[in-house]
Amino acid sequence: MNRLVYILIGILALLGTAKASAQLPSIVLKDTRGQAVNVSEISNDGNPVVISFFATWCKPCMRELKAIADLYPDWQDETGVKMYIVSIDDAQNSSKVKPLVDAEGWEYEVLLDPNSEFFKALGLQTVPHVLVLDGDGNVRMSHSGYTDGSETEIIATIRNIRNQK
């Protein structure tokens, strides 16, 4: 019987380790003001976080970010969610990001990943790609691509996280 208890404790320890490994890597990016941000420190006072990887040339990315922008204030009021958008535009094109965000009036936190270091560290391959993190920084949803209405999956995940608090 004692052996079974030790096996169960070992399995639970492994599961706890797997959960921790789902957190963000320690990579430093810059925001559009040139300030350094370590992505492993992204947090939101225990509330959910959405991270959307995009590129200025990606039409589905623009459709997704515009669709979410219309809903984002309501999402914030309801759930306290905070959204980061991470541009994977190369260094030559990253200068287009701030004017785009300003022109659209997006209230997202904006990070630049000109070498796709963060994007690649997560094993991602295509944009748009959305991650939803719980209040502890664990990835609870990872979704690639965009079709009209897929933002409902994002808010459903956010609500589920909030309901589990």
Side-chain angles (χ1 to χ4, degrees), residues 11 20 24 47 55 57 73 77 85 95 99 114 116 123 133 135 148 163:
I11 290 171
L24 301 177
N47 292 313
W57 46 262
D77 290 344
I85 61 174
S95 63
S116 297
L133 284 61
D148 291 336
N163 291 337

Side-chain angles (χ1 to χ4, degrees), residues 1-164:
M1 186 72 161
N2 284 343
R3 189 170 193 221
L4 180 60
V5 170
Y6 288 118
I7 291 171
L8 288 173
I9 290 171
I11 290 171
L12 290 174
L14 286 173
L15 289 175
T17 303
K19 183 178 181 183
S21 68
Q23 294 185 340
L24 301 177
S26 181
I27 294 174
V28 177
L29 301 179
K30 293 202 173 172
D31 64 17
T32 55
R33 297 177 308 277
Q35 299 297 310
V37 176
N38 188 326
V39 297
S40 70
E41 298 172 2
I42 288 176
S43 67
N44 186 20
D45 298 322
N47 292 313
V49 172
V50 174
I51 300 174
S52 178
F53 290 89
F54 78 104
T56 57
W57 46 262
C58 169
K59 292 192 186 315
C61 299
M62 295 302 105
R63 284 197 340 262
E64 178 175 66
L65 292 173
K66 287 177 183 182
I68 293 172
D70 292 339
L71 305 168
Y72 186 51
D74 293 335
W75 289 6
Q76 287 181 298
D77 290 344
E78 178 186 346
T79 67
V81 70
K82 186 175 197 175
M83 183 151 171
Y84 288 81
I85 61 174
V86 181
S87 166
I88 63 162
D89 286 281
D90 61 22
Q92 183 178 356
N93 290 317
S94 63
S95 63
K96 297 176 183 178
V97 175
K98 184 173 178 2
L100 169 72
V101 170
D102 291 346
E104 293 293 340
W106 292 337
E107 297 182 18
Y108 310 132
E109 300 291 326
V110 183
L111 300 175
L112 306 174
D113 189 10
N115 298 318
S116 297
E117 186 179 1
F118 181 28
F119 186 73
K120 290 174 186 172
L122 293 171
L124 306 181
Q125 297 179 356
T126 60
V127 288
H129 197 104
V130 172
L131 302 174
V132 178
L133 284 61
D134 64 19
D136 295 323
N138 298 303
V139 177
R140 298 283 297 274
M141 181 186 123
S142 180
H143 184 268
S144 187
Y146 176 73
T147 56
D148 291 336
S150 65
E151 59 276 4
T152 58
E153 181 183 357
I154 297 168
I155 189 60
T157 302
I158 294 166
R159 287 177 178 141
N160 187 36
I161 291 167
R162 291 290 297 167
N163 291 337
Q164 292 176 357

